[in-house]
Amino acid sequence: MPKNTIHSKQRYLIMCVRCGKTVDERHDQTLCGACGGPLDLAWNYANLKDWMPDSTIEGAVMRYAALLPIQKFDTNLTLQEGDTPLYKLESLGKKLGLRNLYVKNEGANPTGVFKDRGTYVEVLKAKELREKALIVASSGNMAASCAAYTAKAQMPCYVLVPETTPVGKLVQMLEYGAHVVKITGEYSDCVRLAQKLAPLHNLYLAGDFVFRREGQKTLAYELCDEFQRMEKFSGKKIDAPDVVIVPMGAGTHLAGIWKGFKDYFQLGFITKMPRMIGVQADGSAVIVEAFDKNLTRCGTWKKTSTICSAVAVADPLDGDFALQAVYQTGGTMLSISDTETLKAQKLLAEVEALFVEPSSALTIAALPHLFARKLIKNGERIVCVATGNGLKDPQTPLMSLPQPPILAANEDVVSRYLQRKIG
Ligand SMILES: *Cc1c(COP(=O)(O)O)cnc(C)c1O
Ligand SMILES: [Zn+2]
């Protein structure tokens, strides 16, 4: 029997993405022991033949529990992650010439970011492995999310973040009671430190690892289920969106969403795979650089430089995975300047009343480029994933917004000002 065959009763195997070696599920097994590559779960779909998502089960993670690597779900730890709104952008779509443009608003998650789906699964796994405390390196959102779920689980949480972490994220992790250390370096320095220090201090290493990626899959399931519900009314065949556009830092989110679509495809719930499109900031376009050179291996940069702090990743752990997702689905990758990203952030807020953080606006900024290069077409069902809430990082957009005037508390003064404005 080949080494990687799944036994009929096993739900999944954990394998190295690079060298294919299988590994045991252990608390210190976050990367491949043989080559240091990222790990992935291979699911035994034969066990899921009769499974169907039950739409009466509330909560995205519980509804899809059969496709998640947790033995027993502690529902006391859920914060009601997932089941986020899917908006059709009629006004912005009209402006851009795209009549089926959607945004999946992941900023509506409990801590304001998509990562909550993965964090719930990761913290459940830490509990299952009887871990006492957790350490996480983060550019802000991952730590805020981990701090929330560990607060719920009453588990100490140690956080390493860059000194420049946006204030909205910092205040969250402090309120949730995490032990926060600011590092004079960038995100990749924090990751390197956390990986070294976790075993030394017997802490569970949370981050862009195998169990988190599984939690992120639920966004893909949810999207397919939502489009299928729409199909009932339109009478047309819609099973998955045509295109899904995702901002990339480490690439874990895009890889997880792709994996979710693959699960649904394998199970026969959808008949085609959406094209996956990854967007980065010009100042941290590490994965895009590999894509432009047609490489399957993502490199590393020494430094990043962008206002999109949530995607400023110099050493993307799931870069190879994201490249594979894009190549295999006939998608593409591109990078965007900070100036354009800020404009797109403002446009989305003004036209659609959706205030997202700069990293999330990358997907909106990408649309005119993709359209001009004929990589997306009018009529296709296009979903931009809005990864995080705008209040997470108020300082960045404030720098380019007009300052409101400060006037005396005097009726005439304010009236004169209004008259000038109204014209
Ligand atoms: C973490 C994050 C990303 C990037 O996701 P990756 O999984 O690192 O590619 C994008 N946007 C926001 C708001 C994030 O917090
Ligand atoms: Zn390996």
Side-chain angles (χ1 to χ4, degrees):
M1 189 166 64
K3 176 167 101 224
N4 290 345
T5 308
I6 305 186
H7 296 284
S8 63
K9 283 222 188 83
Q10 252 175 319
R11 293 176 67 215
Y12 56 82
L13 276 183
I14 308 181
M15 288 168 51
C16 173
V17 174
R18 275 195 203 141
C19 72
K21 222 177 130 240
T22 57
V23 305
D24 294 334
E25 186 164 317
R26 283 209 323 262
H27 71 287
D28 55 350
Q29 201 71 73
T30 37
L31 295 173
C32 173
C35 79
L39 303 174
D40 188 28
L41 288 189
W43 283 87
N44 187 357
Y45 293 113
N47 276 352
L48 289 160
K49 272 202 319 288
D50 302 319
W51 179 80
M52 283 279 283
D54 178 350
S55 62
T56 63
I57 300 177
E58 270 189 55
V61 170
M62 283 316 294
R63 191 159 58 248
Y64 307 115
L67 287 160
L68 296 170
I70 299 297
Q71 313 309 333
K72 236 181 85 217
F73 281 84
D74 182 346
T75 46
N76 286 328
L77 300 191
T78 181
L79 297 173
Q80 314 260 326
E81 50 293 317
D83 286 345
T84 54
L86 177 68
Y87 299 122
K88 185 159 192 200
L89 305 187
E90 299 280 2
S91 308
L92 188 64
K94 223 173 241 141
K95 268 183 187 292
L96 298 171
L98 299 166
R99 69 174 177 275
N100 287 317
L101 180 62
Y102 296 85
V103 157
K104 182 73 169 160
N105 186 16
E106 286 291 286
N109 272 299
T111 77
V113 76
F114 73 87
K115 290 184 172 80
D116 291 342
R117 297 171 186 265
T119 307
Y120 178 42
V121 172
E122 200 172 42
V123 170
L124 282 172
K125 181 54 79 179
K127 277 287 214 191
E128 205 171 276
L129 296 171
R130 297 179 193 288
E131 299 294 327
K132 295 280 182 300
L134 183 147
I135 187 166
V136 62
S138 169
S139 62
N141 279 334
M142 176 96 74
S145 182
C146 286
Y149 284 83
T150 49
K152 191 82 174 167
Q154 291 293 291
M155 212 188 220
C157 180
Y158 298 87
V159 162
L160 307 181
V161 287
E163 214 178 353
T164 52
T165 295
V167 59
K169 308 175 187 187
L170 189 67
V171 72
Q172 279 183 298
M173 51 189 106
L174 291 170
E175 280 284 351
Y176 292 130
H179 306 280
V180 180
V181 183
K182 285 182 170 184
I183 302 292
T184 56
E186 55 176 90
Y187 169 70
S188 48
D189 298 307
C190 300
V191 172
R192 188 172 38 78
L193 286 166
Q195 288 188 2
K196 274 263 161 61
L197 297 175
L200 268 175
H201 297 279
N202 203 17
L203 297 167
Y204 185 74
L205 181 62
D208 288 314
F209 305 116
V210 57
F211 299 114
R212 170 172 299 276
R213 201 186 304 114
E214 294 298 306
Q216 302 307 157
K217 295 191 308 189
T218 57
L219 182 141
Y221 307 153
E222 232 177 85
L223 273 180
C224 296
D225 291 351
E226 280 171 309
F227 276 93
Q228 257 157 7
R229 272 197 296 278
M230 284 189 239
E231 172 191 11
K232 283 205 187 113
F233 299 109
S234 74
K236 285 197 213 103
K237 179 82 192 146
I238 309 165
D239 52 7
D242 298 297
V243 179
V244 177
I245 311 180
V246 189
M248 299 185 299
T252 308
H253 192 205
L254 186 139
I257 296 171
W258 176 52
K259 221 186 148 192
F261 287 125
K262 280 204 299 185
D263 286 345
Y264 258 34
F265 188 79
Q266 288 290 332
L267 292 167
F269 297 156
I270 58 174
T271 55
K272 60 159 204 267
M273 291 288 291
R275 305 202 299 284
M276 300 297 301
I277 298 184
V279 193
Q280 293 197 292
D282 283 348
S284 63
V286 189
I287 312 175
V288 176
E289 186 184 72
F291 176 81
D292 286 341
K293 293 181 185 157
N294 238 310
L295 302 174
T296 54
R297 275 290 188 92
C298 174
T300 62
W301 285 12
K302 282 217 170 63
K303 270 188 98 50
T304 61
S305 166
T306 170
I307 54 145
C308 303
S309 58
V311 294
V313 179
D315 185 0
L317 184 67
D318 276 328
D320 298 1
F321 224 131
L323 285 164
Q324 208 185 337
V326 166
Y327 290 137
Q328 287 198 13
T329 59
T332 190
M333 289 190 183
L334 71 166
S335 71
I336 302 289
S337 73
D338 284 353
T339 315
E340 276 184 78
T341 302
L342 282 171
K343 273 197 196 137
Q345 183 186 22
K346 183 105 193 340
L347 183 69
L348 188 61
E350 277 185 350
V351 176
E352 296 287 353
L354 256 170
F355 179 34
V356 301
E357 68 169 282
S359 298
S360 311
L362 284 168
T363 61
I364 302 295
L367 291 170
H369 294 279
L370 292 165
F371 188 64
R373 287 161 55 191
K374 297 193 167 51
L375 295 167
I376 52 173
K377 287 202 297 280
N378 186 14
E380 287 189 313
R381 289 179 175 77
I382 300 164
V383 179
C384 291
V385 182
T387 46
N389 187 303
L391 288 172
K392 290 273 196 174
D393 181 10
Q395 300 294 357
T396 303
L398 265 181
M399 288 186 302
S400 58
L401 289 169
Q403 290 296 312
I406 300 172
L407 301 178
N410 173 302
E411 198 181 307
D412 291 338
V413 173
V414 181
S415 175
R416 265 203 305 281
Y417 172 78
L418 286 178
Q419 194 52 54
R420 264 205 315 279
K421 275 283 171 194
I422 296 162

